[in-house]
Amino acid sequence: MTIAYGIALSMDWEKPYWAAFAVAFVSLATIGQSMNKAALRLLGTAAATLVALILIALFAQDRWLFMLFLSAWLAFCTYRMSGSEHQYAWHVSGFVCVIICMNAGPNALDAFNIAMLRAQETGLGILVYSLIAVFLWPSSSGPGFHAAAAKLATSQRDLVRASFDALTGTPNSGDLRALSSDEVQARAGFDQLLAAAVTDDVEVGELRRQWRDYQRLAAQLSESLARQRDGFAASDNLEITSLLPDLTPFGAELTRRMEQVEGMLGGRISEGRPNPVELRLDRSRIDSLSPFQKAALAVVRARLQQLEKLSGDLLDAVASLKNSDRGTQAPEMHLPSRTVWTLDPDRATGVIRLVVTMWLAFLALIYVDALPGGVGFLSMACPIGMILATTPQMSVSRLFQPVAVGVLVGALVHIFLMPQLSSFAGLGLLIFTVTFAFCYVYAAPQQGLGRAFGLAMFVNIAAVSNEQSYSFLSVATTALMFPLLFLLLAITAYIPVSPRPERAFQRLLGRYFRSCEFLTHRMERDPQPADSWPEARKSAFHLHEVSTLPGKLGAWAKVIGAKAATGTSPQQLEALVASLQPLTRSLQALLREGRRPQAQMLRDAMSEDFRTWRQAVQSGLHRLSENPEAADVEAVRRTLEEIVDHLEHRIRETLDSTRAQQLGEHDGDNFYRLLGAYRGVSEALVDYADSADGIEWAGWREERFAC
């Protein structure tokens, strides 16, 4: 910060605090994270510069058209900010465009000069920070990344072992839900550090392709294990260890592979070659099984074989990473197909909130005489408004404290200390001391946003420049801008919906069950003809809702306070959100299995039973969409168990009474997969009802004001 100020002042650049802003906002825990953020800031600044110059060139003489198209650009950046891995670039593209436009006014020459000044001072701040970080205090992501990789391998090894213990009925298999939660957290930490390590660790950067292959395979293995856990019921009525006599050594081999992966990622030397393993069938016992049981066995075996392939590919990928000189060939990767674009209601809500904020600030700038801060009011409303729009779980009050501290410190420094300084030596010492104090007080990773905003407010209020002037009125006017700004943000936080976490949680939960109800209803038309474009878009929208809402609910659950959730512990909310993931997977599996080709005679014979199940589930989902506590656990369990048991009995009878010549090669397997999906949805609904039953929903409905 001190050196960036020194260079900007020695070059006699206007607004040297723009270089300081760059330093404040790109400083993160490691070099790689900082460099990635710096690159995104430069990219965003370049895009904002281009857009700002185009807007000024086209609409400088019409402020309403100018604001309309500027709002459209901000709306686009805000929407993209929520769904992109490069969200910081979109954030910078939005607010820097506003800064350039508001500071330039209608003068095209000023616009170009300000745009170039912003770009060069941003580049200066990033360059200075990069050189200092690389040469004086290097903090690489490498050690943390390798530790995260080893932690992920350990969690997946434990999960594989516990899954096979549960399948074979071995006691002390461990809590699968807890192990699964640990694995998800470990994978999230690994994913977060990979991008940083690729940048600041030479070894990781050289092997970036192999590391990303490992990342994809680890995600696929996690998904396969989740499907295997959801399908444990398939083996309930089978003597699985007798029918698959190699199941125990098969599980031991898969566990050994995961231990080898863990060992190599932990730094131990290993050959890392998967031993050939086959899951043989006991033919003498299979002949005595009914067609229904044969179908169940085929499904279980197919899932285990998929798990075996993934574990072998994962071991080969790690061997390729650690023993690249052996020429181990990386496994062939099959990337998932891209899904069609769908509108995200929560991102659209954030866009509406930001646009309303910007227009209110713009109208205040035009019609309120001597508005504190002037164009700075609009320029500050944009970056803070974009953050709050894309992270609605963050309350306005959370940002108020660091901003207030930054304003207070900046005001004291500007009024009482800076007039006493006569050289850059004293000014540099002052800047160093204040920056050090902010970084020390806000040192925790979760305080990063507060640290950045506190430093930014100090830099803004201190207003260091070569032609220095001191004015209490200027400081007081700028300081007065922030209470008005936070008042505006607190008001628009309720547009278009309430930001209360408990209300948002119930609203999202209702949307989730409405989407589940719609997808279940669509199954009544199976087998379906080719959907029209509107129908396809509607189905894609509800699939997107079902896939994304559990994650959003998890984010809201973390910020529900004790007052709102009286009598409900954080662990209960976590269990409630966790119970939605199996429901999502089972519903997706049900839609997928329903599209498989099956014998028409089987479909006709079971149509009435399938309709009965769908009507019962739709009725339950409809009640849950209106009231999350509407489910009577015992009634739901009893109803669904009776229907699924009857459904299983009817499928068993139909398969057993059907001649083999009347069935295709995979008709029996496909029908059993379909039964497993029906069973999975039913059990997941019962699991949710059980989790929701212990939550005190009444306290969530009490009226209270929050911002």
Side-chain angles (χ1 to χ4, degrees), residues 7 10 104 132 154 225 231 296 318 514 550 553 557 567 680 682:
I7 294 175
S10 67
I132 295 296
T154 300
L225 285 168
V318 177
R514 280 193 293 274
L553 284 163
S682 303

Side-chain angles (χ1 to χ4, degrees), residues 291-347:
F292 177 82
Q293 291 175 319
K294 290 179 180 178
L297 180 61
V299 171
V300 172
R301 186 167 180 256
R303 287 174 174 168
L304 291 172
Q305 287 174 328
Q306 182 189 26
L307 198 59
E308 186 274 334
K309 182 180 184 306
L310 281 172
S311 65
D313 288 346
L314 193 68
L315 184 56
D316 285 339
V318 177
S320 177
L321 268 170
K322 297 299 181 179
N323 305 292
S324 55
D325 57 321
R326 280 173 28 190
T328 305
Q329 183 178 2
E332 180 182 357
M333 303 303 301
H334 300 283
L335 299 180
S337 58
R338 295 180 63 88
T339 57
V340 295
W341 181 86
T342 56
L343 178 70
D344 189 295
D346 299 297
R347 292 162 66 182

Side-chain angles (χ1 to χ4, degrees), residues 125-360:
I126 290 172
L127 177 63
V128 170
Y129 183 85
S130 302
L131 294 175
I132 295 296
V134 170
F135 293 110
L136 293 187
W137 291 285
S139 178
S140 172
S141 305
F145 168 72
H146 289 293
K151 182 179 179 181
L152 173 59
T154 300
S155 64
Q156 290 196 326
R157 177 208 64 192
D158 293 341
L159 192 56
V160 167
R161 178 183 293 152
S163 296
F164 271 95
D165 286 347
L167 183 63
T168 58
T170 304
N172 302 321
S173 58
D175 186 346
L176 279 173
R177 176 176 289 182
L179 291 173
S180 178
S181 177
D182 292 343
E183 190 270 342
V184 169
Q185 294 177 12
R187 188 153 46 87
F190 173 84
D191 293 345
Q192 182 180 10
L193 286 171
L194 176 58
V198 165
T199 301
D200 67 12
D201 188 285
V202 175
E203 181 184 354
V204 176
E206 290 177 348
L207 298 171
R208 62 170 63 87
R209 183 182 62 81
Q210 290 92 328
W211 277 115
R212 284 172 179 147
D213 286 345
Y214 171 76
Q215 180 186 31
R216 287 191 290 268
L217 282 167
Q220 291 176 19
L221 181 71
S222 176
E223 181 64 24
S224 180
L225 285 168
R227 287 197 298 268
Q228 181 67 29
R229 291 193 304 277
D230 294 342
F232 276 158
S235 59
D236 283 351
N237 299 320
L238 296 173
E239 295 181 3
I240 193 69
T241 54
S242 300
L243 295 168
L244 299 174
D246 295 331
L247 183 60
T248 300
F250 180 88
E253 169 59 20
L254 265 60
T255 303
R256 187 193 68 82
R257 293 179 185 180
M258 300 309 299
E259 289 173 348
Q260 284 190 311
V261 168
E262 178 192 17
M264 286 189 285
L265 291 178
R268 297 192 295 273
I269 299 176
S270 173
E271 286 299 318
R273 296 291 189 183
N275 293 332
V277 59
E278 183 182 358
L279 201 58
R280 292 184 303 105
L281 294 169
D282 188 338
R283 298 293 178 183
S284 61
R285 292 179 177 271
I286 291 177
D287 293 338
S288 62
L289 297 179
S290 67
F292 177 82
Q293 291 175 319
K294 290 179 180 178
L297 180 61
V299 171
V300 172
R301 186 167 180 256
R303 287 174 174 168
L304 291 172
Q305 287 174 328
Q306 182 189 26
L307 198 59
E308 186 274 334
K309 182 180 184 306
L310 281 172
S311 65
D313 288 346
L314 193 68
L315 184 56
D316 285 339
V318 177
S320 177
L321 268 170
K322 297 299 181 179
N323 305 292
S324 55
D325 57 321
R326 280 173 28 190
T328 305
Q329 183 178 2
E332 180 182 357
M333 303 303 301
H334 300 283
L335 299 180
S337 58
R338 295 180 63 88
T339 57
V340 295
W341 181 86
T342 56
L343 178 70
D344 189 295
D346 299 297
R347 292 162 66 182
T349 298
V351 168
I352 294 171
R353 182 174 295 145
L354 175 73
V355 171
V356 171
T357 301
M358 297 304 297
W359 272 93
L360 289 176

